[in-house]
Amino acid sequence: MKSKVNIPPITAVLLSIISVQCGAAIAKGLFPQIGAAATASLRIGLSAVILLIAFRPNPFKLNAKQWKYVTLYGVCLGVMNMIFYMAIARIPVGLGVTLEFVGPLALAIFGSKKAIDFIWVILAAAGIILITPWTGTGLNITGILLALLAGVFWASYIILGGRISKIMNGGDAVAIGMVFATLVILPFGIWGGGLSILTPKLLGLGAALALLSSAIPFTLEMKALKQIPARTFSILMSLEPAMASFAALIFLQEYLTLKECFAVAFVVIASAGSALTAKRAKL
C-alpha cells in the first residue's frame, strides 16, 4: 500500500532522527550477542522485506536512469551502515555519530550559497567540537577512521537520495535500494557467523531495529529530500549527535556534562535556524 500521509519535510527529518536513536538502543543490545556485521545484515535485510511488502514496487517499470541511481543509492546505503556499525564496535556510539556527521557537515559547507547558512554550520560545528572527547586514552584509531569514512558515504547518500527522489517514488526507491544494500552486506553477516545463532527473541529485536533504524527513517528522509535542499537537510541532521546523547541518558543513564549540554544547545540552535531559513525562503 502506498503511503498517503503528508508529513512536512522538517517534521519528517526530526522524526527520522528520533527513530534512528531509538533503534540504536536496540542495536546496542544485539551487538554483544551476534556482532556488528550480523546486526547490520539483520537490520537492512528485514528492512528490505518490510518495505517491499509495504510499497510493493514494480521493478519492471524502472528505466535505465532509475536503475542506475537506485542501485548506487542502495550500495551506498549498505556500505554506510556496515562501516558505521564496524566503527561503533570499536569506539563509543556518541563519538561515532559525531565523527560520521563530518560528511553531511562538509556537504552543507560546500553547498552553501547564502551567508546566513554559514552561521548555522558554524554553530553545528561548534557543537560537534564540544561533544567530541578530544582528550583521553584508549581511542581506537581504526574506529575513528571508519566513522569518518561512514560520513563520506552519508554525504553521498544525501546527494543520491536528493537526485533519486526527483525521478521516482520515494517509497519505491527506498524499498528497491534496500534490496541492493542487503546484497552488499549479507555476505559479511553470514561470514561472521552471527546470523546462525538467531533466536525468535533476537529476530523480533531485529525486526524492531529494522523498523526504527532503517524502514521508518529512510522513508521519512526520502520524503524530506524531495521538498528541501540537500544543504538544509544536512544541517538539520546535525541533531543526530545531540539526540544520541539524549538517547544515552534515557536508555543508558549516561548523564551529560556541562560542556556536552552546551554542545547540544549549539546543535539545536543550528537546526532551528536552518528550519526557519528554509521556511522563510518559501514565503
Side-chain angles (χ1 to χ4, degrees):
M1 182 174 63
K2 305 292 183 182
S3 174
K4 300 296 183 181
V5 180
N6 184 22
I7 302 176
I10 303 301
T11 302
V13 175
L14 297 178
L15 289 175
S16 169
I17 293 170
I18 293 172
S19 182
V20 166
Q21 296 309 323
C22 289
I26 296 175
K28 190 173 182 68
L30 287 173
F31 264 43
Q33 301 178 67
I34 62 175
T39 301
S41 299
L42 195 60
R43 166 185 167 180
I44 298 298
L46 291 178
S47 295
V49 173
I50 292 169
L51 289 169
L52 287 172
I53 293 173
F55 293 103
R56 291 177 291 178
N58 186 350
F60 297 105
K61 290 186 177 181
L62 270 61
N63 57 41
K65 183 178 181 180
Q66 290 172 325
W67 272 117
K68 173 186 174 181
Y69 278 106
V70 79
T71 301
L72 290 173
Y73 172 79
V75 171
C76 181
L77 190 58
V79 174
M80 175 183 73
N81 282 277
M82 173 63 72
I83 292 176
F84 179 68
Y85 273 32
M86 291 170 62
I88 62 174
R90 295 169 169 83
I91 60 176
V93 175
L95 176 59
V97 173
T98 302
L99 293 174
E100 187 189 26
F101 184 70
V102 170
L105 182 59
L107 180 62
I109 292 173
F110 290 125
S112 293
K113 295 180 180 178
K114 295 184 294 183
I116 194 171
D117 290 324
F118 285 96
I119 296 176
W120 315 133
V121 171
I122 290 170
L123 282 172
I128 291 172
I129 290 171
L130 283 173
I131 210 170
T132 302
W134 299 103
T135 60
T137 58
L139 291 180
N140 186 292
I141 186 63
T142 301
I144 291 174
L145 292 175
L146 285 171
L148 291 172
L149 181 59
V152 174
F153 281 97
W154 192 359
S156 301
Y157 157 77
I158 292 172
I159 295 172
L160 288 170
R163 290 180 180 177
I164 200 172
S165 67
K166 303 297 190 299
I167 62 174
M168 64 184 295
N169 176 272
D172 291 352
V174 176
I176 297 174
M178 279 291 185
V179 174
F180 285 103
T182 301
L183 294 175
V184 170
I185 67 175
L186 186 58
F188 295 95
I190 295 174
W191 181 70
L195 294 178
S196 64
I197 58 173
L198 286 179
T199 63
K201 179 181 178 180
L202 291 175
L203 194 59
L205 289 173
L209 174 62
L211 280 170
L212 292 171
S213 295
S214 294
I216 293 174
F218 291 147
T219 301
L220 289 171
E221 289 171 14
M222 185 63 70
K223 287 179 177 291
L225 283 166
K226 195 170 185 177
Q227 302 176 63
I228 59 176
R231 180 183 71 256
T232 303
F233 178 87
S234 298
I235 302 173
L236 283 171
M237 292 302 287
S238 63
L239 271 173
E240 286 281 7
M243 191 56 66
S245 298
F246 282 124
L249 174 63
I250 295 172
F251 296 109
L252 306 174
Q253 290 75 54
E254 295 178 354
Y255 294 91
L256 296 173
T257 65
L258 181 60
K259 183 178 70 171
E260 290 168 337
C261 287
F262 276 113
V264 170
F266 285 149
V267 171
V268 169
I269 292 171
S271 297
S274 173
L276 289 173
T277 301
K279 181 178 180 181
R280 192 171 299 163
K282 293 181 180 181
L283 293 178

